[in-house]
Amino acid sequence: MRKEQETTLVRNAREGDMPAFGEIVRRYQNIVFATAFQILRDRPLAEDVAQEAFVKAFQSLHDLRMESSFPPWLRKITRNLALVARKEQRRFGALEEAGTPQSPPADAGQEAERERGEADAFGEEVRRIISSLSDTIRFPMLLCHIDDLSTRDAARFLGITEGALRKPLHDGKRKLQERIVRMAEKSFQVYRLPPDFAKRCICGCRRSQAAKNGKDERR
């Protein structure tokens, strides 16, 4: 979507055009969800925060000074809501554990441990992929990239010329890259939202709009 188109959508949404805001939701829903998920590490809660972020953005569009500033403005709303949700999540967890022996408080060490676990899992998957390669590709890859031998020494070890070694190395890199990309794409599915997410956001916006109109009429 071009910047001018996005600006028009934001302007129309500000005037109450719900289909226009629906297009905005569909454009940004995955990145908004990913922003919340990175902070919360809890898929259902991140999904709730993402929906709340869009409803809040719709309610506050009149506060947006420039339509072109919508993306960073939406990101700020999402981050603020996610941080509040994380604080509430931790407070609720502390209340649940009240009266029981307390474990050491969560700190950066736990985050580092989680990252190490993810790195170990990724490394194990790469090793599995390498093991699945044919011997003619795997051995050159292991010698040159694991044992750190020069192509000359690896070729000499295998009893082939350096020229003959380059092809399996090239094929191995290509296959490894393709499989790692597929693995990454599979992992990215965690950031994808259900098909009806945008529809739920719009319903939430409509309810908030109806509630606001009802308050205005009672005044």
Side-chain angles (χ1 to χ4, degrees):
M1 183 187 297
R2 293 179 180 177
K3 189 174 181 180
E4 308 83 59
Q5 292 175 311
E6 180 178 274
T7 299
T8 300
L9 285 174
V10 173
R11 186 180 300 117
N12 290 344
R14 179 183 284 176
E15 295 171 359
D17 187 336
M18 204 64 75
F21 193 73
E23 285 299 315
I24 292 173
V25 173
R26 281 182 280 274
R27 176 176 172 80
Y28 285 105
Q29 61 182 23
N30 287 321
I31 195 168
V32 164
F33 173 71
T35 300
F37 185 79
Q38 284 295 106
I39 293 172
L40 296 166
R41 295 290 173 180
D42 181 300
R43 183 180 175 87
L45 185 55
E47 191 172 325
D48 288 344
V49 166
Q51 183 171 340
E52 185 181 356
F54 281 114
V55 173
K56 185 174 180 61
F58 180 76
Q59 293 172 335
S60 307
L61 274 174
H62 60 276
D63 295 330
L64 181 64
R65 294 182 180 180
M66 297 175 59
E67 288 88 356
S68 59
S69 300
F70 180 81
W73 179 74
L74 177 61
R75 179 177 180 273
K76 183 178 180 181
I77 289 174
T78 306
R79 279 185 54 80
N80 288 343
L81 289 173
L83 290 170
V84 170
R86 185 174 68 178
K87 185 176 180 180
E88 191 68 18
Q89 185 183 41
R90 289 175 176 175
R91 188 182 70 83
F92 183 74
L95 288 174
E96 280 191 331
E97 293 172 5
T100 62
Q102 296 296 306
S103 57
D107 55 18
Q110 290 183 348
E111 180 68 14
E113 184 177 351
R114 181 187 62 77
E115 291 178 355
R116 281 196 299 273
E118 290 179 352
D120 289 344
F122 183 79
E124 182 59 35
E125 185 64 17
V126 171
R127 285 189 286 274
R128 187 192 67 77
I129 292 171
I130 292 175
S131 297
S132 71
L133 299 173
S134 66
D135 289 349
T136 55
I137 293 177
R138 185 170 68 254
F139 288 150
M141 293 282 291
L142 292 174
L143 290 173
C144 292
H145 298 293
I146 304 299
D147 295 335
D148 204 25
L149 291 181
S150 67
T151 53
R152 184 183 66 178
D153 290 340
R156 190 201 263 151
F157 179 84
L158 294 171
I160 59 177
T161 65
E162 280 191 74
L165 180 69
R166 289 193 184 98
K167 185 178 188 309
L169 281 177
H170 173 75
D171 291 345
K173 287 180 182 178
R174 178 176 54 79
K175 290 186 177 182
L176 189 62
Q177 183 181 40
E178 288 173 352
R179 296 189 187 188
I180 288 176
V181 167
R182 286 199 296 271
M183 182 174 67
E185 288 175 344
K186 185 177 179 181
S187 299
F188 288 156
Q189 294 303 311
V190 72
Y191 296 112
R192 296 192 68 84
L193 289 161
D196 66 338
F197 177 80
K199 183 178 179 180
R200 296 206 313 265
C201 286
I202 296 305
C203 288
C205 292
R206 290 186 190 280
R207 285 195 297 271
S208 71
Q209 192 176 46
K212 181 178 180 299
N213 291 340
K215 287 181 181 179
D216 292 342
E217 288 175 2
R218 287 194 294 271
R219 287 176 182 173

